[in-house]
Amino acid sequence: MILDLDIGNTLSKWRLKDRDTSSIRARGAMWTRDEWRSGADIPDLEIVDVIRISNVARQDVLEDTVRLLKRRVGAIHVAHSTPEALGIRNGYETPERLGVDRWLGVLSGYQLTGGCCTVDCGSAITMDAVLPSGQHLGGYIIPGLRLMKESLKLGTRKIVIDPEEEALHALSPGTNTVDAVNHGVFMAAISAINRLYMELCDSQNMALPLLITGGDAPLISKGLRLPHACWPDMVYAGLEVLFPLTPDEKRGLLAGMPEVMVPADLTEMRKALAFTQML
């Protein structure tokens, strides 16, 4: 069994994948600082023979985690951002400073569509672009929904965006403080993604497929006015591309690969940009 581990600053998400069938057997999450002992929130390491890791937490967190896991599992692959991989050239001035989760999203997105724009909607919202030539352009980082609410000093426990709320309602003016905050941060996030994506496509003279992932992706997806595909396993798929282990992975078949939407027409995007520039 393969354990794929996505270590964040607060939470570490994991999934168990069958090495023979490529099926996902289990998923979960744990606090990043918790010790790896099998339990309700931690996979049974007795059935794991190889681990793949993406880490955006501090280096000491990664080192502690690897040291603990090596007591039980011999083969551990750790992903790193590199100047080049799988035909993609990292656009960062210092390639290793690019968050490895973003790099893995670029790798998997490129495997799926060639040139693309990837958006990860987590604590921060990140956007990266890679051209069909394999040149990664770099990207953008903006506060996520939770961080925007925290910046207003209103907390997050009492003011929570309802994921079942209709997107059109969430774009309307709020008639109480909770709705005003929720609708405002929702509008800020989707407006930023819409605008940055259109600016990227305009500057490169091509319409790139748009892929989104992350915990807030299902909610953000409801407000986007652009054709896009949600890919919850996009970061995990980057681990699959970088360290292919199953027969399907070696053939380029990645977990949860979505049907790619045809991008918006570039001419229409330019009309929308021209209109906003008049305001």
Side-chain angles (χ1 to χ4, degrees):
M1 198 72 69
I2 302 165
L3 171 62
D4 289 322
L5 179 58
D6 181 7
I7 304 175
N9 287 306
T10 303
L11 284 178
S12 293
K13 294 172 288 184
W14 58 266
R15 69 175 191 180
L16 285 175
K17 186 173 186 181
D18 191 294
R19 194 163 185 168
D20 296 320
T21 67
S22 288
S23 60
I24 306 302
R25 295 299 185 86
R27 295 179 185 269
M30 58 178 286
W31 298 113
T32 293
R33 276 297 188 178
D34 282 354
E35 187 169 346
W36 282 82
R37 294 193 182 95
S38 296
D41 298 323
I42 299 176
D44 181 4
L45 296 179
E46 295 295 332
I47 63 174
V48 174
D49 56 16
V50 61
I51 299 173
R52 299 180 290 202
I53 298 177
S54 164
N55 172 64
V56 296
R58 298 190 314 273
Q59 181 64 24
D60 66 299
V61 174
L62 174 62
E63 292 170 356
D64 289 348
T65 301
V66 169
R67 183 170 59 254
L68 287 168
L69 294 176
K70 272 190 173 178
R71 299 174 186 172
R72 310 289 292 277
V73 181
I76 299 179
H77 303 285
V78 180
H80 298 283
S81 296
T82 55
E84 187 170 355
L86 305 173
I88 301 175
R89 298 176 299 283
N90 193 320
Y92 256 37
E93 295 175 356
T94 309
E96 61 270 21
R97 298 296 296 273
L98 175 67
V100 71
D101 54 343
R102 294 169 59 193
W103 183 234
L104 292 172
V106 167
L107 294 179
S108 56
Y110 190 77
Q111 178 76 14
L112 179 66
T113 67
C116 61
C117 181
T118 60
V119 179
D120 194 331
C121 306
S123 297
I125 296 173
T126 64
M127 176 181 290
D128 285 88
V130 58
L131 300 179
S133 66
Q135 181 59 55
H136 170 239
L137 299 177
Y140 304 93
I141 302 176
I142 62 175
L145 301 179
R146 179 176 59 84
L147 288 178
M148 281 193 272
K149 288 190 289 181
E150 287 179 351
S151 73
L152 296 173
K153 308 297 184 185
L154 294 172
T156 58
R157 294 186 178 181
K158 295 182 180 179
I159 301 180
V160 179
I161 295 179
D162 181 1
E164 301 302 323
E165 187 173 24
E166 289 296 327
L168 288 177
H169 175 64
L171 293 174
S172 64
T175 55
N176 56 66
T177 300
V178 171
D179 283 351
V181 171
N182 285 341
H183 298 188
V185 299
F186 182 60
M187 174 69 85
I190 63 171
S191 296
I193 294 170
N194 282 329
R195 180 60 180 264
L196 292 173
Y197 170 78
M198 290 191 293
E199 293 280 6
L200 274 170
C201 292
D202 180 46
S203 67
Q204 299 303 315
N205 196 34
M206 65 179 70
L208 297 168
L210 179 59
L211 305 170
I212 71 171
T213 193
D216 285 329
L219 179 63
I220 295 293
S221 176
K222 294 180 180 181
L224 290 179
R225 295 293 186 263
L226 299 162
H228 63 280
C230 288
W231 192 358
D233 277 5
M234 189 162 66
V235 173
Y236 286 137
L239 289 172
E240 296 174 347
V241 170
L242 206 54
F243 309 112
L245 296 173
T246 73
D248 279 353
E249 291 170 3
K250 293 174 182 178
R251 292 197 302 269
L253 300 176
L254 309 177
M257 295 175 77
E259 181 178 349
V260 180
M261 305 291 290
V262 176
D265 181 75
L266 186 59
T267 300
E268 294 302 314
M269 282 194 278
R270 284 174 169 157
K271 288 180 180 178
L273 282 173
F275 176 76
T276 59
Q277 289 166 358
M278 291 172 57
L279 298 177

